[in-house]
Amino acid sequence: NAGVTQTPKFQVLKTGQSMTLQCAQDMNHEYMSWYRQDPGMGLRLIHYSVGAGITDQGEVPNGYNVSRSTTEDFPLRLLSAAPSQTSVYFCASSYSSSGSHEQYFGPGTRLTVT
Amino acid sequence: AQSVTQLDSQVPVFEEAPVELRCNYSSSVSVYLFWYVQYPNQGLQLLLKYLSGSTLVESINGFEAEFNKSQTSFHLRKPSVHISDTAEYFCAVRMDSNYQLIWGAGTKLIIKP
């Protein structure tokens, strides 16, 4: 199993550009989420999904869209990039039958918006 | 609202010395507790977890954490640290009624040679 994969690893955008961060998992996990990590602020939840076709907002959803058309994929779209979206983005997945819902993380995408 | 507090943003410690990273949470319901580790320029990995049963849980690389319900704490300890333990450590809590994790701000463990 590849686990959770994310592409790209690095990205530089200009203000106003749009892009999609890709996330895929091959563990058949029903639950997936997107976080952003900023220094001193830990992880903040952007959006999450409890299964294909179902998404919901997290703590900091503004400026981001998600969709979940398959169990495997959970892309994050930046609609119009702003410097405040410079961050490291992590995708994670988990499954309920584990009991604990421990999350498995991808390697991250480091995004810079100039 | 539920929250997780990691009291120290950085903990410097000499190699082979003991260390404790503190984590407190606020919740009145049953919880599941986790410690994750993030090595430089990598994603997060699960270090250990408490679900139920024995309040002392251990990881394969010598860390342990003890769940203290009365003090709502889940501190992480290691009796002797190595340079390879240099990383950021995150405490997270999941309430029994919810599958989302609530995260602490992280503690950077800095090992001094």
Side-chain angles (χ1 to χ4, degrees):
Chain A
N1 285 353
V4 180
T5 57
Q6 291 182 239
T7 56
K9 283 188 166 38
F10 302 94
Q11 183 69 51
V12 179
L13 291 178
K14 293 188 189 309
T15 297
Q17 288 184 316
S18 62
M19 79 159 294
T20 299
L21 279 61
Q22 301 292 344
C23 173
Q25 51 93 9
D26 60 0
M27 298 174 283
N28 203 32
H29 287 175
E30 69 262 37
Y31 183 81
M32 296 184 74
S33 53
W34 275 103
Y35 293 95
R36 59 178 289 172
Q37 182 180 29
D38 302 291
M41 303 187 74
L43 295 172
R44 292 184 291 171
L45 183 65
I46 304 171
H47 285 285
Y48 65 96
S49 168
V50 300
I54 306 170
T55 64
D56 206 347
Q57 296 181 351
E59 180 186 356
V60 289
N62 291 342
Y64 307 95
N65 272 357
V66 292
S67 60
R68 185 99 180 268
S69 56
T70 66
T71 299
E72 293 78 18
D73 300 299
F74 191 44
L76 177 72
R77 281 183 290 278
L78 278 70
L79 309 171
S80 177
S84 61
Q85 294 179 303
T86 293
S87 188
V88 182
Y89 292 85
F90 288 101
C91 179
S93 71
S94 66
Y95 63 106
S96 58
S97 58
S98 73
S100 65
H101 258 284
E102 65 190 71
Q103 295 195 352
Y104 295 76
F105 283 83
T109 295
R110 189 174 295 272
L111 176 68
T112 302
V113 183
T114 61
Chain B
Q2 291 86 8
S3 64
V4 176
T5 303
Q6 291 184 244
L7 296 165
D8 304 297
S9 60
Q10 292 188 61
V11 173
V13 62
F14 285 104
E15 196 168 14
E16 298 185 7
V19 70
E20 178 180 81
L21 307 183
R22 296 178 291 173
C23 173
N24 288 88
Y25 66 93
S26 64
S27 173
S28 58
V29 300
S30 298
V31 296
Y32 302 109
L33 298 156
F34 306 85
W35 276 101
Y36 282 80
V37 58
Q38 184 180 30
Y39 297 106
N41 299 313
Q42 294 187 27
L44 281 78
Q45 307 169 33
L46 181 67
L47 184 62
L48 47 75
K49 62 185 177 184
Y50 170 78
L51 305 183
S52 64
S54 173
T55 56
L56 185 66
V57 291
E58 299 176 353
S59 72
I60 58 172
N61 57 351
F63 282 93
E64 64 180 30
E66 184 159 20
F67 169 52
N68 187 320
K69 187 174 182 179
S70 62
Q71 297 189 4
T72 59
S73 67
F74 191 53
H75 300 332
L76 181 70
R77 302 184 183 95
K78 189 171 186 180
S80 175
V81 296
H82 301 283
I83 196 76
S84 59
D85 294 323
T86 298
E88 190 160 15
Y89 293 80
F90 292 91
C91 181
V93 173
R94 182 172 82 81
M95 309 304 166
D96 193 23
S97 58
N98 195 328
Y99 36 68
Q100 292 185 28
L101 292 182
I102 300 170
W103 294 87
T107 298
K108 288 186 179 173
L109 180 59
I110 300 166
I111 310 296
K112 299 185 286 186

